[in-house]
Amino acid sequence: MILNILLLIFILGLLIFVHELGHFLVARKSNVHIYEFALGMGPVILSKKGKDGIKYSLRLFPIGGFVQMAGEVDEDDKKIKKERFMCNRPWHQRLLILIAGVTMNFLLAIVLLFVIALFWGASVLKPVVYKATPNQPMAKAGIVAGDEIIAINNKKVNNWDRAQLILAMKSKDNKYLFTIKHQDGKTEKYNITPQEKVDKEGNKSRVFGIEIKAEKTTGFISAIKFAGTKFAFIIESMVIVIGGLFTGKLAMTSLAGPVGMYSIVGETAKMGIDSVLFLVVFLSINLGFINILPFPAFDGGRVVFLLIEKIKGSRVDAKVENVFHTVGFILLMILMLYITFQDVMRLFRA
């Protein structure tokens, strides 16, 4: 248990460090005055002032971090030269500072995907049925080994990852329309109603009754291709997940916070280093994606205000922007409390 907690803290710390390092490096390059580079939130555990005059600190709670810059919204320190306030830097520099954290998270993910594919091989899951389990929905419908799934609910499927994502969404009348291409080239459509399975903890899942076989590719070129396609798919999946949350096709209970991640890290660690690295990839993309959403308090929310400034030709009132970010932060904390509560309840049920 202690090892799992330490591994989780290390992973979170790495992702946050990489994210904040992006903001930090671009802010320094843009000659913005930086007060503090902090890893973690809450009370300070360790701190040291560097020769550059910046305070470097480690804080108690490993759930965030920040780079405190002068003038993030308006001029707020009379001791600092006007040109060193972030709000007084050229528009393009402010934009680069804001998106630098997300960019670093995405770059980390792509590099790790490349490393995984290069050293452990790239697993490719084509949507081709390897086995249809007898007396289960897909086999009963007449689907057999060798059949290729080319669409589900009229959404094109080019890999099994995307198929699983579509199948995780609620469907009308609990029926899923499969477009199947048989080995003879003939295409047919099937309405499949999955079986519902309930585990000991009361968690429900849908069973369709097919197996997909993974194929592994190796080599430098394959690793590059895998890194690009897998990164693009994870981004696409997150777009679909956000859409599913807003439309109700995906329940809020499917989300996990730091407590839920503890269980995931524990299970992943048993599967090997490559699985842990892939978890880091997923979480890094997740952190970057969430941060770039146009929501107040996120980097994406601040980018929105920059875009408004560009369109209207003048800055948004600093007080108005601060109110938006404060409200956004409060809503974010409420959501985190809700998700954490759900995570704790799952642990008790387990």
Side-chain angles (χ1 to χ4, degrees):
M1 184 179 72
I2 294 173
L3 288 175
N4 288 344
I5 292 172
L6 291 175
L7 180 58
L8 175 59
I9 291 172
F10 174 77
I11 291 173
L12 291 176
L14 173 65
L15 300 182
I16 294 164
F17 173 76
V18 167
H19 183 91
E20 297 304 335
L21 183 63
H23 293 309
F24 177 80
L25 293 176
V26 179
R28 283 194 65 172
K29 187 70 176 177
S30 302
N31 196 34
V32 173
H33 182 86
I34 300 171
Y35 296 108
E36 182 179 357
F37 182 107
L39 192 60
M41 303 292 280
V44 175
I45 300 174
L46 296 170
S47 70
K48 184 178 181 181
K49 198 164 187 177
K51 293 179 180 179
D52 51 10
I54 299 170
K55 178 182 176 183
Y56 297 90
S57 63
L58 181 66
R59 292 174 177 255
L60 182 61
F61 304 113
I63 54 171
F66 60 87
V67 177
Q68 186 183 6
M69 295 173 274
E72 292 188 46
V73 177
D74 59 358
E75 296 183 14
D76 49 12
D77 190 341
K78 293 180 180 179
K79 297 177 183 178
I80 306 300
K81 293 180 180 179
K82 284 183 172 291
E83 64 269 18
R84 299 205 65 191
F85 285 115
M86 179 181 170
C87 60
N88 291 339
R89 302 308 300 164
W91 188 87
H92 74 277
Q93 286 186 355
R94 285 180 283 150
L95 177 64
L96 290 174
I97 291 169
L98 289 175
I99 66 172
V102 171
T103 303
M104 288 287 280
N105 282 128
F106 287 168
L107 285 174
L108 173 65
I110 292 170
V111 169
L112 288 180
L113 283 170
F114 173 76
V115 169
I116 291 167
L118 192 63
F119 289 96
W120 286 275
S123 292
V124 179
L125 287 166
K126 294 180 180 179
V128 177
V129 178
Y130 176 67
K131 181 183 177 182
T133 308
N135 300 317
Q136 289 195 353
M138 297 291 270
K140 286 180 179 179
I143 294 165
V144 298
D147 286 345
E148 182 182 357
I149 303 167
I150 58 176
I152 301 174
N153 291 345
N154 295 317
K155 294 176 181 176
K156 188 178 178 182
V157 169
N158 49 22
N159 58 64
W160 184 239
D161 287 333
R162 194 167 198 276
Q164 286 182 302
L165 188 62
I166 297 170
L167 294 176
M169 302 290 175
K170 292 179 184 177
S171 188
K172 188 178 180 181
D173 301 323
N174 198 33
K175 289 184 178 180
Y176 294 80
L177 180 63
F178 283 77
T179 304
I180 302 292
K181 185 178 180 181
H182 300 295
Q183 293 184 73
D184 61 4
K186 185 180 177 182
T187 300
E188 289 187 272
K189 293 189 176 183
Y190 299 84
N191 265 310
I192 307 293
T193 302
Q195 291 179 359
E196 191 175 84
K197 185 178 179 182
V198 182
D199 62 20
K200 294 178 182 178
E201 285 77 42
N203 299 312
K204 295 179 181 179
S205 60
R206 303 182 188 93
V207 177
F208 291 88
I210 57 171
E211 292 180 23
I212 305 295
K213 189 177 182 180
E215 297 177 8
K216 278 204 171 184
T217 60
T218 57
F220 188 83
I221 301 300
S222 292
I224 292 175
K225 185 178 178 181
F226 174 79
T229 54
K230 198 71 174 179
F231 174 81
F233 166 73
I234 296 174
I235 291 290
E236 180 192 9
S237 70
M238 289 179 181
V239 172
I240 294 172
V241 166
I242 294 296
L245 289 171
F246 276 101
T247 58
K249 291 183 178 180
L250 198 65
M252 288 288 288
T253 51
S254 60
L255 300 178
V259 176
M261 284 165 57
Y262 161 76
S263 300
I264 296 169
V265 166
E267 291 301 313
T268 305
K270 297 174 186 176
M271 298 166 69
I273 297 174
D274 56 329
S275 296
V276 173
L277 288 177
F278 191 80
L279 177 62
V280 174
V281 166
F282 182 80
L283 293 176
S284 190
I285 296 174
N286 190 293
L287 177 60
F289 182 82
I290 294 298
N291 261 282
I292 206 61
L293 290 177
F295 186 82
F298 289 154
D299 294 335
R302 296 181 184 278
V303 169
V304 168
F305 280 96
L306 267 185
L307 294 175
I308 293 171
E309 175 188 323
K310 192 71 172 177
I311 293 167
K312 70 192 287 282
S314 61
R315 292 180 185 173
V316 177
D317 186 275
K319 291 181 181 178
V320 173
E321 184 174 348
N322 274 325
V323 168
F324 268 90
H325 293 316
T326 301
V327 171
F329 182 77
I330 292 170
L331 292 174
L332 182 62
M333 288 300 101
I334 293 171
L335 177 61
M336 284 300 299
L337 287 172
Y338 172 77
I339 293 172
T340 302
F341 175 75
Q342 293 287 341
D343 290 341
V344 172
M345 294 304 294
R346 286 194 199 103
L347 285 177
F348 277 116
R349 286 197 294 267

